[in-house]
Amino acid sequence: MANRSIRVDILARVEGEGALDLHVRDGKVTRAHLNIFEPPRLFEALLRGRGFMEAPDITARICGICPVAYQMSAVHAMEDALGVRVKGPLRALRRLLYCGEWIESHALHVVMLHAPDFLGYPDAIQMARDHGEAVRRGLALKKTGNALMRLLGGREIHPVNVRVGGFYRAPSRAELACLSAELERARDFAVETARWVATFPFPALERDYEFVGLRHPDEYPFNEGRIVSNRGLDIEAREFDTEFEERHVAHSTALHSVLKRRGSYLVGPMARYSLNFDRLPASVQALARECGLGAQCRNPFKSIIVRAIETVYACEEARRLIASYEEPEAASVPIAPRAGIGHACTEAPRGILYHTYTLAEDGSILAARIVPPTSQNQISIEEDIREVASAALELSDDALRDRCEQAIRNYDPCISCSCHFLRLNRHRE
Amino acid sequence: MAGKKRLAVWKFASCDGCQLSLLDCEDELLAVAEAVEIAYFPEASSRMAKGPYDLSLVEGSITTEHDALRIRKVRRQSKFLVTIGACATAGGIQSLRNFADVAEFVAAVYASPHYIKTLATSTPISDHVKVDFELRGCPINKTQLLELLSAFLAGRKPVISADSVCTECKQRGNICVMVQGIPCLGPVTHAGCGALCPACRRGCYGCFGPTENPNTAALAAEWQKLGAAPRDIRRAFRTFNAAAPAFRTESEAHGE
């Protein structure tokens, strides 16, 4: 038992391709590496020379699980560069679209990908034999999220209706009203899901993360807000590069994003929730407490409860947005190309997603940079694995491997967001 | 699980959206899982059963030497191999590197380009192994995916239209956007999406790739009449199906 080496060659139930490499020597974890071997697709390079209007459609293809996040960060960054602000009903529609993606993505992860870890199944389909109702409820929730995206975006994966300046076509009040009843039922399903996951067994682990997320004066954040942390960070998206830096580290050959002054940090549901608990409606706060959460959550395994709580919020927020929707006069605001630099950060289901573009006078993209949530969480994931493994060394190799995989899945890592991720040759077969 | 057909889902360079389409069949997923044995689908299950498989769904394009070898291994283990989506069928958006210098592309993204092992091109699966059927789209249409699975189980050919998006516009009752002055790729694009973009009052941007015998030159001439510059036309043909021969050739006819 002095030297153990645990490897997971293909991480299951994550979006994209990754592997885990854990080394233990004399009762100490000496290496905990998350290896990403997603083939690079070089988005930031291929965006150069494209038109600013193409960015939302092209960057959506970075990730089929969270295309709306890419579209939202892209349109906000372009509008920043072009000096345009989208307000009123069009802003509300963007928020509503984001609700759809959060519901879909969270339901997928909570019920289909993550819950099987806690209950000891290889997948949700096997789990459905014993927990049929919970799985069907999760699928129904997911379907409602997809219905929202289909109505606003045309389709659930890579929506076609989002454009710089607003939308190509704005829905009518009547079209949106059709979804209200479904959302009410979805909210009940989400509440039941939250209560269900709150009963799972959670390994004891509390970590002192630096939470990073958006913060808005009065909303739980989706599209807008300052980038803040629980250690005093408080900046605009345009200042991203002064505080954050991406490092090309030798051991994993994947870009790791760090806070220049303090190192690793955490983005995603747990960070968002812990920074914005006071922005949740009282009913959702009460449900969170009922599910055993405080105003902050530091146990990464409990991120599944946080996701369920955020799903409840997204259902409620979607209903509110639909009830107060006024049809806009035009589906988009006028846009004229000009030279400039734009920045934006929005809250993807997995955490803040930063885009910046430099535009030429004719609106062609000269330079693009995209920092996805999973590259920001990579160091935190490895630190979690180290702690989780150190506390569980008495387990058999198989059980330890399962526990570490579960610790990775706590992050719902979206490895396909591959513009920054490289393949690691020496760890393949 | 004796007697059930064994299904495998593979990923190459892609966004995961097409395989997500299977999980997006919320009403049918559990029934699909009853009808076939989902033997290998890492995105959904940590149970990864060894081959051979009766049906392999392949997402993504080939961009690394390792993947060029891996797809051969997948083919050997698969009775039927079906590509799902624009990456696997036409090389995807990442095939824009095929028109550029990949070393320059890599250097533009990564601080230490020498760490990166990637091929100069992104190529469709059919450039590497025999493909039994191709599902188009970026992403695929999940109704077509279910039709493919049903047809496979019934031992028949899938019923999937090879018309252009124009046919779907007519079926849907869309007003033609070209008539309203909006350039549209619908006339040369394979059906399958249900004419989504024209329904949103924007031009089709070609997610499903070229239809059979597309008259791209005639369409490009129409675009010019609507005021599209050569650069706009080149960009339009160079997106998610940029490496599909008909679109590639047309894009090359419109200058640098």
Side-chain angles (χ1 to χ4, degrees):
Chain A
M1 282 289 281
N3 290 303
R4 294 164 83 185
S5 169
I6 305 238
R7 288 194 36 81
V8 179
D9 286 324
I10 298 176
L11 284 168
R13 283 181 274 129
V14 301
E15 295 96 5
E17 291 193 287
L20 165 68
D21 192 6
L22 184 76
H23 291 213
V24 180
R25 179 175 295 160
D26 302 328
K28 279 218 160 68
V29 176
T30 52
R31 177 195 283 182
H33 285 174
L34 172 64
N35 302 321
I36 308 252
F37 45 81
E38 184 79 20
R41 290 190 294 146
L42 309 172
F43 272 89
E44 289 144 314
L46 64 83
L47 279 162
R48 294 168 309 162
R50 306 300 301 213
F52 72 97
M53 288 289 277
E54 296 185 290
D57 293 323
I58 292 178
T59 58
R61 269 66 182 188
I62 291 172
C63 180
I65 322 291
C66 56
V68 168
Y70 282 89
Q71 294 189 331
M72 290 297 116
S73 287
V75 295
H76 284 289
M78 289 303 175
E79 287 157 12
D80 184 45
L82 300 172
V84 173
R85 270 187 80 78
V86 172
K87 299 177 201 149
L90 296 175
R91 179 184 187 274
L93 285 175
R94 285 180 170 174
R95 206 168 154 78
L96 184 59
L97 180 64
Y98 233 144
C99 286
E101 180 157 286
W102 277 28
I103 296 168
E104 193 282 330
S105 175
H106 279 358
L108 171 72
H109 188 254
V110 168
V111 180
M112 307 298 290
L113 307 181
H114 206 194
D117 277 334
F118 293 91
L119 299 175
Y121 297 92
D123 53 57
I125 287 159
Q126 306 299 318
M127 190 172 75
R129 300 204 171 131
D130 304 322
H131 301 271
E133 207 187 312
V135 172
R136 275 186 286 274
R137 206 164 51 204
L139 286 168
L141 250 180
K142 192 172 156 328
K143 191 177 168 187
T144 300
N146 275 338
L148 250 183
M149 283 197 281
R150 216 164 34 245
L151 177 62
L152 291 179
R155 65 183 167 203
E156 50 272 66
I157 301 170
H158 306 329
V160 302
N161 194 23
V162 171
R163 60 171 279 170
V164 180
F167 290 85
Y168 287 92
R169 174 185 168 275
S172 66
R173 269 188 67 81
E175 283 175 286
L176 289 187
C178 290
L179 276 180
S180 207
E182 188 175 338
L183 278 162
E184 190 174 350
R185 208 182 48 204
R187 190 219 173 249
D188 293 344
F189 286 152
V191 169
E192 287 164 36
T193 300
R195 289 184 176 134
W196 177 59
V197 299
T199 65
F200 290 174
F202 295 100
L205 174 68
E206 296 269 322
R207 288 203 48 219
D208 188 20
Y209 298 105
E210 176 156 2
F211 295 126
V212 174
L214 293 188
R215 175 117 174 127
H216 183 274
D218 16 73
E219 293 167 340
Y220 199 77
F222 284 93
N223 293 61
E224 284 173 32
R226 290 175 67 81
I227 303 170
V228 305
S229 86
N230 53 333
R231 303 220 174 110
L233 181 75
D234 186 358
I235 57 168
E236 291 288 338
R238 65 177 63 252
E239 299 166 285
F240 191 88
D241 279 337
T242 61
E243 295 291 336
F244 296 89
E245 137 180 64
E246 287 181 294
R247 292 184 185 154
H248 203 163
V249 296
H251 85 254
S252 99
T253 67
L255 293 185
H256 287 48
S257 182
V258 293
L259 274 160
K260 283 180 187 170
R261 286 185 263 185
R262 291 181 295 276
S264 73
Y265 61 101
L266 183 86
V267 302
M270 248 175 33
R272 208 156 46 211
Y273 170 91
S274 300
L275 294 166
N276 291 287
F277 182 77
D278 59 347
R279 296 287 184 264
L280 289 168
S283 59
V284 179
Q285 289 181 352
L287 179 69
R289 296 212 186 271
E290 182 198 323
C291 291
L293 295 181
Q296 291 202 333
C297 175
R298 297 182 173 281
N299 180 340
F301 292 94
K302 291 190 176 173
S303 62
I304 190 170
I305 310 177
V306 177
R307 272 186 202 92
I309 295 292
E310 283 197 337
T311 310
V312 174
Y313 171 71
C315 292
E316 285 194 5
E317 180 65 2
R319 283 195 71 211
R320 188 189 69 76
L321 289 163
I322 288 173
S324 59
Y325 176 63
E326 300 286 343
E327 291 174 24
E329 280 172 28
S332 64
V333 299
I335 298 276
R338 69 175 197 196
I341 299 178
H343 312 260
C345 206
T346 71
E347 283 282 3
R350 288 154 196 80
I352 56 168
L353 166 61
Y354 172 73
H355 285 213
T356 177
Y357 300 96
T358 306
L359 300 182
E361 237 165 84
D362 67 350
S364 293
I365 298 170
L366 295 173
R369 205 155 66 79
I370 294 166
V371 183
T374 298
S375 93
Q376 301 179 70
N377 277 337
Q378 271 196 101
I379 300 178
S380 270
I381 295 175
E382 292 182 345
E383 288 170 352
D384 279 14
I385 298 168
R386 205 173 266 272
E387 286 216 23
V388 165
S390 300
L393 289 176
E394 77 287 355
L395 296 178
S396 70
D397 279 5
D398 283 345
L400 182 57
R401 184 181 299 118
D402 287 351
R403 179 65 63 83
C404 290
E405 278 200 66
Q406 185 180 359
I408 295 171
R409 279 192 288 269
N410 286 336
Y411 284 80
D412 189 6
C414 193
I415 292 166
S416 299
C417 294
S418 60
C419 56
H420 277 282
F421 291 155
L422 319 184
R423 171 168 158 192
L424 191 70
N425 289 313
R426 66 200 160 92
H427 285 283
R428 275 305 278 270
E429 292 169 320
Chain B
M1 300 215 181
K4 277 194 197 175
K5 300 280 191 197
R6 308 184 80 225
L7 174 72
V9 183
W10 306 91
K11 176 186 159 63
F12 291 83
S14 66
C15 78
D16 281 64
C18 290
Q19 49 178 321
L20 178 65
S21 300
L22 185 53
L23 298 178
D24 273 353
C25 298
E26 288 99 358
D27 291 336
E28 300 87 3
L29 181 65
L30 295 177
V32 169
E34 285 300 310
V36 299
E37 179 198 342
I38 300 179
Y40 185 90
F41 186 8
E43 184 171 289
S45 177
S46 42
R47 191 184 79 93
M48 301 180 211
K50 286 197 158 56
Y53 310 100
D54 295 293
L55 173 62
S56 275
L57 301 177
V58 178
E59 174 192 273
S61 67
I62 303 299
T63 59
T64 66
E65 272 174 40
H66 180 271
D67 279 354
L69 293 172
R70 191 160 64 98
I71 188 61
R72 285 169 210 282
K73 229 164 109 183
V74 169
R75 176 70 261 191
R76 282 199 297 275
Q77 299 177 80
S78 310
K79 214 180 226 172
F80 285 89
L81 187 154
V82 175
T83 58
I84 54 170
C87 296
T89 304
I93 187 74
Q94 55 274 20
S95 68
L96 291 180
R97 72 177 64 180
N98 302 7
F99 302 91
D101 170 8
V102 76
E104 192 277 327
F105 259 38
V106 170
V109 180
Y110 297 104
S112 308
H114 57 279
Y115 286 149
I116 315 293
K117 293 270 188 293
T118 191
L119 295 172
T121 55
S122 166
T123 43
I125 301 303
S126 62
D127 278 12
H128 300 266
V129 297
K130 177 173 167 273
V131 170
D132 298 299
F133 195 82
E134 293 178 328
L135 268 190
R136 309 288 204 91
C138 183
I140 55 168
N141 174 328
K142 68 183 183 188
T143 311
Q144 291 194 343
L145 177 63
L146 288 170
E147 163 60 13
L148 176 101
L149 292 172
S150 310
F152 172 74
L153 289 172
R156 62 172 172 81
K157 260 189 89 170
V159 180
I160 286 172
S161 164
D163 287 338
S164 73
V165 170
C166 287
T167 312
E168 295 188 315
C169 256
K170 303 294 171 289
Q171 285 163 348
R172 194 168 174 151
N174 289 341
I175 301 167
C176 177
V177 293
M178 289 277 280
V179 172
Q180 304 169 69
I182 301 170
C184 177
L185 285 181
V188 297
T189 299
H190 198 284
C193 67
L196 289 178
C197 287
C200 290
R201 293 169 203 150
R202 75 178 285 196
C204 161
Y205 61 90
C207 295
F208 277 65
T211 189
E212 273 174 42
N213 306 314
N215 193 343
T216 53
L219 182 67
E222 287 301 315
W223 275 49
Q224 277 167 334
K225 284 185 206 158
L226 293 175
R231 186 191 61 185
D232 302 327
I233 297 171
R234 188 174 70 245
R235 281 176 177 165
F237 282 103
R238 270 189 203 173
T239 62
F240 315 104
N241 292 278
F247 281 9
R248 186 186 62 218
T249 309
E250 192 58 42
S251 78
E252 284 165 346
H254 300 274
E256 271 310 309

